[in-house]
Amino acid sequence: MNIATNLKQTAKSIATLEAIISPNWESRYYSYNSKWAEGEEMFSMRNGSGDEFYILFTNTGVVGKFFLHENPTTVEIPQDGNSLFPTFFTEPAFEINNATFFLWKKESETEWHSQGGVDERILKILDGRPEAYKQWADGYYEKNLNLDTIRAIYDHAELTDDLIHSLNPDLSRKAITEELAEIGY
């Protein structure tokens, strides 16, 4: 699996880009909540066609549930994942019983554990490369987004109005201050 070493930073970058390009939260593809619960942060994707994922970052590590509507097989909850991340597997918002696969790893581990048929297509954007986001977003939003701006956001550069305007000329930093605080950018 080609998942970014610093998945949390990648997730926050993607969510920040989404907040800029798609200011209406309801129509966003990717979202991040750095204040999900005490000691927990959550990254999610929902595409409006039934595909979704929820990734929870905790002090213990990271765990994710992935569902692809074209592959709706029901996967049993992984016992070792459940013992490490009990709040994840009992969270009603994550609809754990509708899962194509699960991924998890302890904070101290480098290798991911999985249960179910991992589908790399849904993971491609999580590889940490700004080019992966640009390729996806150019197609989804039918735009030619500025790769240098995307790189700057992946590097967590200071988010200036000029940087924001290069992606969305109708938006200012002030307009998304609350969103950025929730993302933790």
Side-chain angles (χ1 to χ4, degrees):
M1 285 169 277
N2 190 13
I3 299 176
T5 303
N6 192 342
L7 180 57
K8 188 185 288 189
Q9 182 169 334
T10 297
K12 288 181 178 188
S13 300
I14 292 169
T16 299
L17 287 158
E18 289 290 282
I20 295 167
I21 297 165
S22 182
N24 179 4
W25 185 85
E26 291 298 320
S27 61
R28 257 184 234 152
Y29 215 89
Y30 297 96
S31 299
Y32 194 95
N33 186 334
S34 65
K35 299 169 177 75
W36 177 255
E38 183 70 32
E40 296 180 346
E41 300 183 26
M42 194 268 296
F43 179 51
S44 64
M45 181 280 288
R46 55 193 166 83
N47 70 359
S49 297
D51 297 341
E52 64 184 21
F53 67 63
Y54 298 95
I55 299 174
L56 189 70
F57 299 92
T58 72
N59 296 332
T60 305
V62 60
V63 59
K65 170 245 172 175
F66 300 81
F67 180 77
L68 293 103
H69 76 281
E70 294 175 0
N71 186 6
T73 55
T74 303
V75 178
E76 288 186 34
I77 294 172
Q79 291 308 309
D80 51 343
N82 190 24
S83 64
L84 292 169
F85 308 100
T87 60
F88 180 80
F89 290 99
T90 58
E91 173 56 55
F94 299 158
E95 299 180 48
I96 292 301
N97 292 327
N98 293 326
T100 304
F101 65 94
F102 295 101
L103 294 174
W104 69 96
K105 73 178 192 72
K106 292 182 201 175
E107 188 66 35
S108 60
E109 296 176 325
T110 56
E111 297 297 317
W112 288 86
H113 305 274
S114 65
Q115 185 150 326
V118 175
D119 190 319
E120 294 283 342
R121 292 174 299 169
I122 199 168
L123 300 176
K124 184 177 180 182
I125 200 159
L126 304 178
D127 71 2
R129 294 178 324 105
E131 295 82 4
Y133 179 83
K134 178 178 172 33
Q135 180 181 15
W136 171 81
D138 282 354
Y140 184 74
Y141 292 110
E142 298 179 348
K143 295 181 177 186
N144 183 16
L145 298 171
N146 184 309
L147 182 57
D148 289 336
T149 300
I150 294 169
R151 281 190 182 120
I153 292 172
Y154 265 68
D155 290 339
H156 283 239
E158 179 183 351
L159 202 54
T160 63
D161 279 335
D162 287 343
L163 202 60
I164 291 168
H165 289 159
S166 71
L167 295 173
N168 185 343
D170 300 325
L171 191 68
S172 69
R173 179 174 168 78
K174 184 177 179 181
I176 59 169
T177 300
E178 288 180 31
E179 304 258 6
L180 295 174
E182 182 174 299
I183 293 167
Y185 182 92

